Amino acid sequence: MTGGAAGIGRAVAERLAADGAAVMIVDVNAAAGQRTAEQLGALFVAADLSRLSGVRQMMAAAGSELGGLNMLVNNAGGLVAPAYPVTSADRWLRMLDLNLRGVMLATQQAIEMMGPGGAIVNVASTAGLGHGPHRAPEYAVAKAGVIRLTACLAPLRESHGIRVNCVCPGLTDTPAWRRDLAAMTPAQRAGAPPAMPAAQVADAVMVMLTDENLAGRVLVCQHDQPFRLLPVLSVPAYLLELPAEFTRRSM
C-alpha cells in the first residue's frame, strides 16, 4: 500500500487489514506512516517511491518481511503549487516522477515478484480524464498517463496471470483537501464542491483488487454517484501484442 499514511491510502489499508491481509504501508512521511502502521498492525517502510531505489527498498521488505507480494495498490501521489508552466522544471518534473514514474517503477518491480493471481490497482484521478483545463497540468497529465498505462497492461492477465486495474476518484475528503479548505476565503469555501469520504474510494479499490473478471479497466468513483467502468476502446490488433521479450515467463 503506497502512500498509505493518510487519506485514501490509509482508508484502503484499513480495509485490507480488516479483511485479514498482511499489510505493508509505504510512505515518505515516516512519522505518520509509522503511526498508521502501528494502529493497524501493519508493517511500515519509509521510502521515496518516485525513485527506483525506494521502490526496490519496498520490494525487498515485502520479500523479507511478508514472504512475497500478491497485491499492490499504487496510491502515492500529490500536487503542489505553483504549477506548470509557472513553476520550475525541477519542481514539475518531481510531480511527474511522483505521480507517474513511481507507478511505472512499482508496477514493473511487482510484476517480477508476483505470481499468477497477483493484482495491482493504480489510483489515478478524474483530473486525468477528459480534455478540459486543470489548475495543475503536470498532475493531470501524470494521472492521464496512469490511466493509459493501466489499459495498456491488460494483456498481463493472459501472459503472467496478473491483473492491473485503475481507480479514478473525484474530489475526496483527505487531510490535503481539508488544508486546502482551511486556506480558502469564506466565499470560496461556500462554493467548494462536496468531497466524498475516502472509504468510498477504498470500496472501489477493493472491487478492482478482488474482481477476477477485470483487467486493464478503469473505474470512476465520484461523490453521490455509482461506480462507473470506462469503456474499452478498440485498437489495431498489432498494438495488443506484447513484445517478444515480455512474453509469458516460465513457471
Side-chain angles (χ1 to χ4, degrees), residues 21-48:
V23 178
M24 181 173 71
I25 292 171
V26 186
D27 203 289
V28 73
N29 187 332
Q34 185 64 54
R35 185 166 55 249
T36 297
E38 289 173 358
Q39 291 168 350
L40 300 182
L43 173 69
F44 175 68
V45 175
D48 180 356

Side-chain angles (χ1 to χ4, degrees), residues 51 60 139:
R51 301 288 180 259
Y139 176 81

Side-chain angles (χ1 to χ4, degrees), residues 1 33 42 81 83 121 124 165 168 174 195 204 211 247:
M1 179 72 243
V121 174
N165 288 293
C168 282
T174 64
D211 191 332
T247 55

Side-chain angles (χ1 to χ4, degrees), residues 103-223:
V103 172
M104 297 182 75
L105 288 170
T107 298
Q108 184 181 44
Q109 295 291 309
I111 291 166
E112 293 301 314
M113 179 175 285
M114 285 179 173
I120 299 171
V121 174
N122 300 321
V123 179
S125 168
T126 53
L129 300 174
H131 305 286
H134 190 273
R135 64 190 176 103
E138 69 274 41
Y139 176 81
V141 166
K143 293 303 186 180
V146 170
I147 293 166
R148 192 68 189 96
L149 171 70
T150 299
C152 288
L153 296 180
L156 285 176
R157 177 169 57 178
E158 301 303 321
S159 64
H160 289 60
I162 297 171
R163 297 181 301 104
V164 183
N165 288 293
C166 179
V167 169
C168 282
L171 183 61
T172 306
D173 183 11
T174 64
W177 172 239
R178 290 172 209 151
R179 288 192 295 270
D180 285 348
L181 279 177
M184 293 178 185
T185 65
Q188 289 172 328
R189 201 174 300 120
M196 66 183 161
Q200 183 176 340
V201 185
D203 289 342
V205 170
M206 294 304 296
V207 169
M208 303 309 263
L209 281 174
T210 59
D211 191 332
E212 296 183 358
N213 294 314
L214 299 175
R217 300 301 301 274
V218 178
L219 186 68
V220 177
C221 55
Q222 294 175 288
H223 176 75

